[in-house]
Amino acid sequence: MAASAKSPTDQDEKQTNENTNANAQKSEDTKEDFGYYFYPDRDKKKKKSFLERAWLREDVHHFKCETHVRSCMESNPKVKLLAGALESYGCPVDVKRHISCETCIRGVSGGFDPKSMQVVLCQNTIQNRDICCNIIGHELLHAFDFCRAKVDFTNLRHLACTEIRAANMFHCSLGASFASGEASFFNIKERHQLCVKNKALQSIRLVRNVTELEAMTVVDEVFDKCYNDTEPIGRRCFKNTGRAKRALEESRNYYDFD
Amino acid sequence: MADSLPEDVWLIRPCEVYKEEYKDCKALFSRLYQHYIDGQKNNCAVWLTDYENCMKFRHKKDLKAAEAVLESERERRKIRLQNAQANDIWEYRKSPPSSWFAPLDLDK
């Protein structure tokens, strides 16, 4: 998967940072696998026995995940906006074909697989509907970039750009920055950019076998252009759904969808 | 009257939206976010002016007011499109990827 896997959100950030370090190490010992290591069901789905599925509560997680997906696609303004923008570029999102709930290895919440054109959601790590909507939005943004441009996920610059855009629009709320230490009570001014850079860095190192310095250099190189490109949403919206709804209505002037 | 309307009059959003944007811009939480993202306070007065002009156009069919709102909207649209076009990290497609609807490889 030359995909942009992302690390889970605020609540689990500290714990999964440790996980992601351990995982990054595993992939350093072997050749580049572009993040497919985290999605064991991608290559071949081996049928798990009933007892194994019951023990892991897989069917329960799968059902919850699919319910969240349906709910997000119907009522979350940012997800609807992304789906509409994708449709207007000729890549309409069919939930059955393009979104897949799977069990992943701990440390990621989702990814976009450009080989099969699917958004993968990790049914075992997504805790609630809001987080699910955020992850769907994040991955659909990668799909949007892939649909409108010849994005090569093996190209570090392209990967950095798409991750910067996703972090810019779906992560790095004030709360998230406080949780991860980029902002504090005495240090808030212009901390959003730092948060976005760190988030993008984290996502890149999760799927690529590169040193921190290499990743930081690439992120800095492409940062300005990618940070200011807020298509298709047009603005940064955080928990404020009013802003997201207004962004959805405004985007009908830029994209052609129902 | 319809003939004298500017061609891009569709850019004017429902007036209530400008009022909402103004309130949102001035709210304490938003100010905090403006400090967090831009490092400075945004200029919220623009939204209020747009709202007042929009209402003038709605109630009194004031074309000058409509033109003022349109100027603001054109500027916003220009900035948004410029930012998008400035992103030349990748080559843009002329048609969607053919593999978008390719059948899944189901060897399960």
Side-chain angles (χ1 to χ4, degrees):
Chain A
M1 178 181 286
S4 3
K6 84 177 232 318
S7 49
T9 59
D10 325 347
Q11 290 130 316
D12 279 349
E13 208 134 34
K14 284 188 188 131
Q15 193 212 338
T16 50
N17 275 338
E18 288 146 33
N19 284 338
T20 55
N21 283 336
N23 290 329
Q25 238 145 27
K26 269 186 204 156
S27 50
E28 265 164 40
D29 299 330
T30 58
K31 281 195 292 197
E32 287 254 42
D33 70 349
F34 300 109
Y36 280 100
Y37 160 79
F38 292 105
Y39 309 92
D41 287 350
R42 284 270 94 196
D43 278 334
K44 47 181 193 272
K45 284 206 173 132
K46 53 173 185 160
K47 285 225 157 184
K48 291 195 177 128
S49 70
F50 170 74
L51 278 176
E52 206 178 341
R53 284 193 340 257
W55 175 252
L56 296 169
R57 300 188 63 198
E58 250 192 45
D59 292 336
V60 173
H61 291 316
H62 190 77
F63 177 74
K64 275 191 186 161
C65 180
E66 300 223 310
T67 314
H68 290 326
V69 167
R70 217 168 302 133
S71 163
C72 292
M73 293 294 290
E74 278 167 19
S75 59
N76 183 290
K78 279 161 106 174
V79 172
K80 278 162 70 170
L81 205 172
L82 271 158
L86 272 159
E87 192 186 318
S88 80
Y89 267 88
C91 301
V93 177
D94 174 8
V95 173
K96 287 196 175 69
R97 163 69 180 81
H98 296 114
I99 302 186
S100 165
C101 288
E102 289 170 16
T103 301
C104 319
I105 294 190
R106 293 242 152 223
V108 294
S109 300
F112 174 64
D113 182 3
K115 278 192 205 163
S116 58
M117 297 287 142
Q118 275 196 324
V119 164
V120 180
L121 298 171
C122 297
Q123 61 199 21
N124 54 324
T125 56
I126 293 177
Q127 286 115 330
N128 58 46
R129 182 192 170 268
D130 285 339
I131 292 177
C132 188
C133 291
N134 215 31
I135 294 169
I136 295 178
H138 176 125
E139 305 307 338
L140 281 180
L141 190 67
H142 294 318
F144 175 74
D145 281 337
F146 189 83
C147 185
R148 68 168 177 158
K150 294 178 186 169
V151 173
D152 175 9
F153 287 100
T154 58
N155 179 330
L156 259 183
R157 282 166 61 87
H158 290 192
L159 182 61
C161 192
T162 192
E163 286 298 349
I164 286 168
R165 279 167 36 75
N168 189 14
M169 283 184 274
F170 288 99
H171 303 280
C172 289
S173 64
L174 255 180
S177 280
F178 268 86
S180 49
E182 277 108 15
S184 66
F185 283 114
F186 300 108
N187 229 341
I188 294 184
K189 188 170 175 178
E190 285 178 299
R191 285 288 155 152
H192 183 249
Q193 292 198 11
L194 181 63
C195 179
V196 167
K197 280 186 186 174
N198 282 342
K199 201 83 199 170
L201 216 72
Q202 215 176 38
S203 294
I204 292 172
R205 295 207 68 210
L206 209 58
V207 297
R208 293 298 301 275
N209 187 9
V210 289
T211 61
E212 195 166 338
L213 184 62
E214 277 173 352
M216 274 165 67
T217 316
V218 173
V219 164
D220 277 329
E221 233 178 75
V222 303
F223 190 76
D224 284 331
K225 291 181 180 171
C226 302
Y227 184 71
N228 290 322
D229 177 7
T230 52
E231 295 304 306
I233 302 181
R235 64 196 302 180
R236 296 170 193 101
C237 335
F238 298 107
K239 304 282 190 214
N240 182 340
T241 38
R243 216 178 275 183
K245 282 187 191 150
R246 287 196 295 275
L248 173 59
E249 291 314 312
E250 192 189 337
S251 70
R252 291 177 202 280
N253 288 344
Y254 292 86
Y255 299 98
D256 182 21
F257 62 97
D258 294 323
Chain B
M1 161 94 202
D3 295 333
S4 56
L5 281 178
E7 259 184 21
D8 50 3
V9 73
W10 53 267
L11 275 171
I12 302 182
R13 293 181 257 178
C15 304
E16 288 71 16
V17 172
Y18 296 117
K19 189 86 190 281
E20 266 180 49
E21 289 283 4
Y22 176 66
K23 279 189 195 163
D24 184 22
C25 182
K26 287 194 79 83
L28 184 61
F29 215 55
S30 302
R31 287 295 192 198
L32 195 57
Y33 264 96
Q34 287 161 25
H35 185 65
Y36 171 54
I37 296 174
D38 301 314
Q40 62 186 13
K41 287 203 295 195
N42 290 359
N43 176 17
C44 300
V46 186
W47 293 112
L48 189 61
T49 323
D50 282 343
Y51 172 66
E52 284 162 1
N53 283 329
C54 183
M55 290 307 249
K56 274 191 208 159
F57 177 52
R58 181 189 282 182
H59 294 312
K60 299 176 192 163
K61 312 262 189 279
D62 184 347
L63 285 177
K64 276 200 189 132
E67 191 57 38
V69 182
L70 280 174
E71 272 307 311
S72 288
E73 283 293 343
R74 282 180 202 130
E75 186 60 33
R76 278 181 213 123
R77 193 177 169 84
K78 188 175 113 188
I79 294 174
R80 179 168 163 172
L81 290 173
Q82 252 172 14
N83 281 336
Q85 278 153 11
N87 184 1
D88 59 359
I89 302 296
W90 40 52
E91 188 194 333
Y92 290 93
R93 291 183 198 267
K94 296 197 170 52
S95 62
S98 52
S99 49
W100 184 251
F101 276 118
L104 282 168
D105 186 17
L106 297 166
D107 51 70
K108 311 159 209 146

